[in-house]
Each structure stands twice: as structure tokens, then as C-alpha cells.
Amino acid sequence: MTMSTTLRRLSLAACVLMIGTANVATAAPAAPRTTLVRKGDVRIEALVEGRGRPIVILPSLGRGAHDYDRVAARLAAQGFRVIRPQPRGIGGSKGPMEGLTLHDFAADVAMVMDREKTGPAIIVGHAWGSQPARMLAVDRPDLVKGVVMAAASAGKLPPGSTEKPYGRLREAIDGSGNMALPREQRLTYLRQAFFAPGNDPSVWLGGWYAGTHDAQAHARNVTPIDSYYAAGDTVPILDLQGQHDAVVVKNVMKPLLGDRVEVQEIAGSGHAMAPEQPDRMADAIAAFARKTFGRR
């Protein structure tokens, strides 16, 4: 074998190795698997993807887990196991829908986490989802390492405020998912309540579940705010605020809860946040998770 032939073969082998390495490095994360957990007359479907420390994402009022497809994929690519339970009335999640409280919705999440053997996790509650996230920290503190309030109202107001908690843009929030309204009216409501200027509100014309919306709104209204507001007594909280969020009364939690609360703003985001700035949202959650899991 000549020297030139040897060199050509070595070069070819090196190229093959480089291509193989590049394919591994750029391989897309595996698609999420679906799990279904049953207890009595309740069954909860959840999407699970990635490996590593657990992050659980709870969606906003009347909406489901697929709003966070891009957020979850980015978190999984950064080394986390991401679990997204579907609320009752969405996908394969079924159960009684009347007379529910936030304790019931928190118990649904706990049922999935117990099946997945997560141990303490970072619980991300987007908008309404922050309420069962905080309730879970009270009812099952063994499952909660930290809470992310993503575009989430605190449920209380600054001293002297005359507003009603969870009261801003109520007509626009509820009207956004009202399929009986004309498309243009719904787009107007979506712009008012959910999306920052310049972001496309049409991505949320679909994905609304009226039965879930009504059950969740009832649970919020009948569960005393003081029973879940502070997410227990000790877990760290990331107050993740949208720069252009027109719904949330901002900067309420830190003055009341002190150093437990870290505040961060997501530029270019309104109340919807996940479809507007999924990468920025995911990166902020990941940074908080790494810091929180690193605490003893």
C-alpha cells in the first residue's frame, strides 16, 4: 500500500467520524411520550420528554399542554425531564368537572408526578397554572423544589389598590376563547389581553376548551387566596414577567415574600409568553432550575 493510498483512507475515515459526530450533536430531542394515569374516576394524560431533573409545566386558563411544545423541547435539550399534564377536559384527561377546587387540580398533577417518580420538581405555572402550582406546594411540599410564576397574577394587590384580583381585561380574556364570536373580534381580544405589539395573535385562535375554562375559573373563585398565595413557606419563586403583559399586576409578590422571590422580565412578551418568546422563556426557566436544584 502506498503512502498516498494510506493518507486517502485515513482522511476518509476522519470525514466519516466527523459526520457521525456532527449528526449526534445536532440530533433533535426525542418526541415526547404520552402517559395516562388513572385514579378512581379521574384519568390524567401527560406528555413526558427528556432526561434529568424534573420540570413540570401547567398551562393557562382553558388551554392545554401543547402551547409549550417549543419550550419543553428546548428544556429537554438542556438536560431536563419535562412533564406536561393535560388539565381535565383536554386530550385524554377526564374526570368530574363540577364543584372543583384548586386542591383537585393540584392533586391531578401530583398523581402524574407520583407515577413518574419525579421527587421534588420545578413547577412552572403559566397564568392560571400558577394557582394549582402554588396549591401543590402547599398540599404536597415533597413534590416541589421551586415555583415559576410565568406571566402569572399573584392573586393579591399592592396596598391601597382598588382593583379586583384576577380582574384585569376579564372580558378580553374570556372572549378570546369564545368560539361563538366573530374571528376579528376574537383577534382583537387576543391582542388586548395576551399578545405584545407586533406578535401574531392568530396562533391562539384555536386550542381553547370551554369546559376546562369554566371548571378552572370556578376552582379559582372558591379557593381562598391565602390557602395558596405564597406557595408554602420556603420554596424559591421566579416571578417571570412579560414585558408587555397587560393582564398581570406586576411586582406584588417580592414586596410581600422578600428574598424568596426573584423577578425577571421576558422582552417582547405579553401574557401569552410561550408562543411569543419560547426560547427566552425556556432559558429563564432552565437557569432558575439549575440554580434551585443546586441549592442544598
Side-chain angles (χ1 to χ4, degrees):
M1 183 183 297
T2 66
M3 180 65 72
S4 60
T5 301
T6 302
L7 289 174
R8 281 197 301 271
R9 290 185 178 179
L10 289 173
S11 177
L12 179 60
C15 288
V16 171
L17 179 60
M18 290 174 64
I19 291 170
T21 303
N23 286 339
V24 171
T26 60
R33 64 178 171 86
T34 300
T35 184
L36 193 63
V37 184
R38 292 179 173 88
K39 184 175 183 180
D41 56 356
V42 176
R43 65 179 191 182
I44 301 297
E45 178 186 270
L47 305 177
V48 184
E49 61 195 294
R51 300 177 64 183
R53 294 292 186 92
I55 295 177
V56 178
I57 302 179
L58 309 183
S60 60
L61 182 69
R63 297 193 63 86
H66 285 293
D67 282 346
Y68 312 94
D69 283 349
R70 286 183 59 185
V71 173
R74 190 171 178 91
L75 288 169
Q78 295 189 47
F80 294 99
R81 177 161 56 125
V82 186
I83 302 169
R84 290 178 282 160
Q86 293 278 30
R88 297 186 193 190
I90 302 178
S93 293
K94 311 291 182 184
M97 300 293 281
E98 301 293 329
L100 301 177
T101 72
L102 291 178
H103 295 282
D104 296 303
F105 284 103
D108 291 347
V109 177
M111 187 166 66
V112 173
M113 295 177 70
D114 285 339
R115 170 67 65 82
E116 290 293 315
K117 296 180 172 57
T118 62
I122 300 299
I123 314 296
V124 180
H126 179 205
W128 179 90
S130 78
Q131 296 157 40
R134 287 178 280 170
M135 193 82 262
L136 183 67
V138 174
D139 291 348
R140 289 291 306 274
D142 58 307
L143 294 179
V144 181
K145 185 72 171 179
V147 171
V148 178
M149 301 271 293
S153 296
K156 292 190 175 185
L157 298 167
S161 174
T162 59
E163 289 191 65
K164 180 181 178 181
Y166 303 125
R168 283 188 179 178
L169 293 171
R170 196 74 258 158
E171 178 182 347
I173 292 171
D174 295 338
S176 292
N178 185 348
M179 299 301 181
L181 295 177
R183 183 179 189 274
E184 289 306 315
Q185 179 62 67
R186 293 182 59 223
L187 285 171
T188 296
Y189 282 149
L190 284 163
R191 290 188 190 97
Q192 289 175 351
F194 291 104
F195 286 80
N199 293 340
D200 179 13
S202 68
V203 297
W204 265 22
L205 282 170
W208 296 93
Y209 298 84
T212 301
H213 172 286
D214 293 345
Q216 291 174 333
H218 172 83
R220 175 192 63 220
N221 292 338
V222 301
T223 307
I225 181 63
D226 284 327
S227 68
Y228 68 90
Y229 164 75
D233 299 322
T234 60
V235 298
I237 297 170
L238 172 61
D239 187 358
L240 195 59
Q241 303 175 359
Q243 180 186 12
H244 301 283
D245 195 330
V247 172
V248 170
V249 180
K250 297 181 180 178
N251 301 317
V252 176
M253 298 198 80
K254 190 170 183 61
L256 293 176
L257 299 180
D259 290 341
R260 284 180 60 200
V261 180
E262 171 188 345
V263 179
Q264 186 173 342
E265 183 177 88
I266 300 296
S269 169
H271 194 54
M273 190 176 285
E276 299 178 283
Q277 299 294 339
D279 292 349
R280 290 174 179 171
M281 180 180 179
D283 290 348
I285 294 168
F288 175 75
R290 284 190 288 267
K291 180 168 62 175
T292 303
F293 280 125
R295 291 174 174 162
R296 294 187 180 275

